Amino acid sequence: MQWKARHVIMTSAFASALFMLPTEGKAAQLKIGMSDAKVKEVQQLLKAAGFFTYPTATGYYGTITETAVKNFQSSVKLPVTGVVDDQTYAKLKTASSPQPALKQGASGEAVKTLQQQLKTLGLFTYSEITGYYGTITADAVKKFQKQAGLPATGAADNATLTKLKDAANAKTKTSTSSVNKATIYLTIGSSGDLVKEVQTKLKQLGHFTYPEITSYYGTITADAVKKFQKQAGLSATGTVDNTTLTKLREAVQPKETAPSGGNQATVYLTIGSSGDLVKEVQTKLKQLGHFTYPEITSYYGTITADAVKKFQKQAGLSATGTVDNATLTKLREAAQPKETAPSGGNQATIYITIGSSGDLVKEVQTKLNQLGLVTSAQITGYYGMITADAVRQFQQNAGLKVTGIVDDTTYQRLKAQNSVQKVDPIELVADAALLLGKPYVWGGQTPEQGFDCSGLIYYLFQQQGVKVPRTVATMWNAGTSVSSPSIGDMVFFKTEGNTVSHVGIYIGNNQFLHSGSSTGVTISSFSNSYWSSCYVGAKRYW
């Protein structure tokens, strides 16, 4: 009787194990310890979906395979068992079906959707949704993949697109509980009008620097909240609770006061002030090169305060960051136009200094730009700190007294610089050919490092003894336009958005040499529809 019971148990166990074996066309209950062709197939499917990171499909179901299965099940909202049943297998087949990953060079509506989702999460920082998958998009995808625990390839495969869609659809996490204890209103993943209000107020205070109000609470918003919390003496958690929201709303209340008479300095403006007087201060600080924010906001935040401090130091005042009687008076004096016409005589006559404006300033800026000393992409006609710094650099290079002010001597020496620089186009192209195959490296400008597109051009002209601006935008601004390129001319393209973003050297025969993000230093043809469609124009430096 005892033998019979044991026999029944063994037979039952054998039958159960037999039932668990995979059958043709199914992945019936694959789990740890199994090994066969079906396990290998599952590993290959997991690898195609971006979950199985082991170099090869082994055919053995170990802990790595189990972890990959669990991650996949979680991503498609199946029970996370680590066991491959029919449902998991079917989902895996669908997820791994041939669907080419979006990667650099792709374009179209799918790329636009991808960029919008990345922007929602605060990862795609370019100002526009372009629909073109360039290096900015690839970098944003890598950041998301790292956050999501996926291989950071920069290419958006099925697994990446699925996780990205889920993350971008995160709903508002708000609580309106009126209890006394601090209640978290907003954290990463929240969205909606309350997020919009927080971002707007943080932008007014100079903490939220992203170009747009997104209404999505991502890492950029969290970092801005932390900065505000530190400034307000709160615990820097990066989440918005009752206390943080109250303090934030108080901080952006208008605080401007009218100036009063008397000998004692009266504070006009400080952080939180707003109105026409703030607008005037920001305008004058921008004229002097201190206020670098793109727009005049009429709100006195930390950016305005920092600009005021810089001016106060320069003017010999106490650097408080608040605008009192003395600061406002000095600021108004400093921003008065000061350009004078050149006069004869042996003694140097000051032509232009900070605050000057007009055609003479434009002439100086143009010369400085041609020499690669002005980094601004525009000739403004206003002599601010950027122009003054460029003049100092020129004076130092020319062995003149470094003042940052254009006097007779500086002006004549600058004017005498030959803007028609000596460049041998054939030698330039020959030097370029030696660099074919060098890798693309962001910020690279030497053969040892590798090159980005403008770094390659900068290096080639440097070999000719000619200094050109370092960025694509300033190269485009400084060169002389030509209707059609000749050998050695720079050729420019719009590859990201609506601004010039890529540059190469024309080498003849309808071809140009450049450093591409996916190719390194290579030769491309204008016959290629992509390059011909985004071509902007050519510039010459001799």
Side-chain angles (χ1 to χ4, degrees):
M1 187 69 183
Q2 190 176 9
W3 175 88
K4 186 176 181 181
R6 189 182 301 116
H7 175 74
V8 170
I9 292 169
M10 289 176 64
T11 304
S12 174
F14 177 75
S16 177
L18 184 64
F19 175 76
M20 296 293 284
L21 289 175
T23 59
E24 184 65 33
K26 295 184 178 181
Q29 301 293 310
L30 295 177
K31 57 186 178 180
I32 281 185
M34 289 186 170
S35 61
D36 64 3
K38 187 59 70 176
V39 174
K40 189 171 185 178
E41 180 195 354
V42 166
Q43 290 172 334
Q44 289 169 336
L45 293 174
L46 287 166
K47 182 176 279 292
F51 292 92
F52 187 69
T53 57
Y54 198 71
T56 58
T58 62
Y60 176 75
Y61 202 114
T63 55
I64 295 176
T65 307
E66 183 187 51
T67 301
V69 170
K70 286 180 177 178
N71 289 338
F72 171 72
Q73 288 170 328
S74 174
S75 73
V76 295
K77 297 180 171 56
L78 291 175
V80 181
T81 62
V83 174
V84 180
D85 54 16
D86 286 346
Q87 191 178 13
T88 301
Y89 180 73
K91 286 272 190 182
L92 190 53
K93 288 281 282 186
T94 302
S96 307
S97 59
Q99 180 181 337
L102 294 174
K103 57 185 179 180
Q104 287 195 50
S107 60
E109 291 302 319
V111 177
K112 282 187 178 181
T113 301
L114 171 74
Q115 290 172 333
Q116 185 59 62
Q117 289 168 341
L118 290 166
K119 184 177 275 290
T120 299
L121 298 175
L123 298 172
F124 183 72
T125 56
Y126 196 69
S127 56
E128 299 177 22
I129 301 299
T130 64
Y132 176 74
Y133 203 117
T135 53
I136 296 175
T137 306
D139 288 343
V141 169
K142 285 180 183 177
K143 289 177 185 174
F144 173 74
Q145 287 169 327
K146 287 179 182 177
Q147 287 180 2
L150 299 171
T153 62
D157 55 13
N158 287 345
T160 300
L161 292 172
T162 300
K163 288 211 171 189
L164 181 59
K165 183 179 178 182
D166 290 342
N169 288 335
K171 294 182 179 180
T172 307
K173 299 174 183 177
T174 60
S175 171
T176 54
S177 172
S178 58
V179 295
N180 293 328
K181 188 179 179 182
T183 303
I184 292 176
Y185 290 134
L186 303 171
T187 185
I188 288 178
S190 300
S191 61
D193 290 338
L194 191 58
V195 178
K196 186 176 182 179
E197 178 192 349
V198 168
Q199 289 175 333
T200 301
K201 286 177 166 52
L202 288 167
K203 183 175 274 292
Q204 289 174 345
L205 295 173
H207 297 301
F208 185 71
T209 56
Y210 194 70
E212 299 174 18
I213 302 299
T214 65
S215 302
Y216 177 80
Y217 200 111
T219 53
I220 295 176
T221 308
D223 289 343
V225 169
K226 286 178 183 177
K227 290 177 185 175
F228 170 74
Q229 288 169 327
K230 286 179 182 177
Q231 188 184 72
L234 302 173
S235 178
T237 61
T239 57
V240 179
D241 55 15
N242 284 340
T243 306
T244 300
L245 189 60
T246 301
K247 287 274 190 182
L248 185 59
R249 285 170 172 166
E250 289 173 355
V252 295
Q253 291 299 314
K255 297 179 184 176
E256 181 178 333
T257 60
S260 62
N263 295 325
Q264 189 176 6
T266 303
V267 174
Y268 294 143
L269 304 171
T270 186
I271 289 179
S273 300
S274 61
D276 289 339
L277 192 57
V278 178
K279 185 176 182 180
E280 178 192 349
V281 167
Q282 288 176 334
T283 301
K284 285 179 166 50
L285 289 167
K286 184 174 275 291
Q287 288 173 352
L288 297 174
H290 297 299
F291 185 70
T292 56
Y293 195 70
E295 300 173 16
I296 301 299
T297 65
S298 302
Y299 178 80
Y300 199 111
T302 55
I303 295 176
T304 308
D306 289 342
V308 169
K309 286 179 183 176
K310 290 177 184 175
F311 170 74
Q312 288 169 326
K313 287 178 183 177
Q314 188 183 72
L317 300 171
S318 178
T320 60
T322 57
V323 179
D324 56 14
N325 283 339
T327 300
L328 188 60
T329 300
K330 287 271 191 181
L331 184 59
R332 285 170 172 166
E333 289 174 357
Q336 290 297 315
K338 299 177 184 176
E339 181 178 331
T340 61
S343 63
N346 295 325
Q347 189 175 4
T349 303
I350 293 176
Y351 292 145
I352 44 179
T353 185
I354 288 179
S356 300
S357 60
D359 290 339
L360 194 57
V361 177
K362 283 186 178 181
E363 180 186 349
V364 168
Q365 288 175 329
T366 301
K367 285 286 186 184
L368 292 167
N369 210 329
Q370 290 170 347
L371 295 171
L373 296 172
V374 174
T375 56
S376 174
Q378 294 181 330
I379 304 300
T380 64
Y382 178 79
Y383 197 104
M385 289 297 294
I386 293 174
T387 308
D389 288 342
V391 168
R392 289 188 186 98
Q393 186 62 55
F394 170 75
Q395 289 168 328
Q396 184 176 1
N397 295 346
L400 301 174
K401 185 177 180 181
V402 180
T403 62
I405 297 171
V406 179
D407 55 16
D408 276 333
T409 305
T410 302
Y411 178 73
Q412 295 302 332
R413 186 71 67 86
L414 187 59
K415 197 172 179 180
Q417 293 292 312
N418 186 6
S419 59
V420 182
Q421 303 180 68
K422 295 179 181 179
V423 174
D424 184 335
I426 303 302
E427 192 174 320
L428 185 74
V429 171
D431 288 344
L434 296 174
L435 302 174
L436 284 171
K438 293 293 182 183
Y440 179 91
V441 175
W442 178 259
Q445 58 186 42
T446 68
E448 294 76 24
Q449 288 177 294
F451 299 95
D452 60 20
C453 66
S454 57
L456 174 65
I457 307 304
Y458 182 83
Y459 172 79
L460 289 171
F461 275 86
Q462 195 176 47
Q463 297 306 105
Q464 294 279 312
V466 175
K467 187 172 183 180
V468 299
R470 176 59 180 85
T471 66
V472 176
T474 50
M475 285 177 180
W476 170 254
N477 186 66
T480 302
S481 295
V482 292
S483 56
S484 59
S486 297
I487 292 175
D489 286 342
M490 294 185 194
V491 285
F492 294 84
F493 305 87
K494 289 180 181 178
T495 58
E496 291 274 356
N498 295 319
T499 57
V500 175
S501 53
H502 191 68
V503 62
I505 288 284
Y506 187 73
I507 61 174
N509 196 29
N510 208 33
Q511 294 179 315
F512 63 98
L513 185 145
H514 64 119
S515 183
S517 59
S518 59
T519 61
V521 180
T522 189
I523 293 173
S524 297
S525 173
F526 281 101
S527 301
N528 180 293
S529 59
Y530 171 73
W531 291 113
S532 60
S533 67
C534 59
Y535 175 64
V536 177
K539 293 291 181 89
R540 185 168 296 162
Y541 272 76
W542 63 88

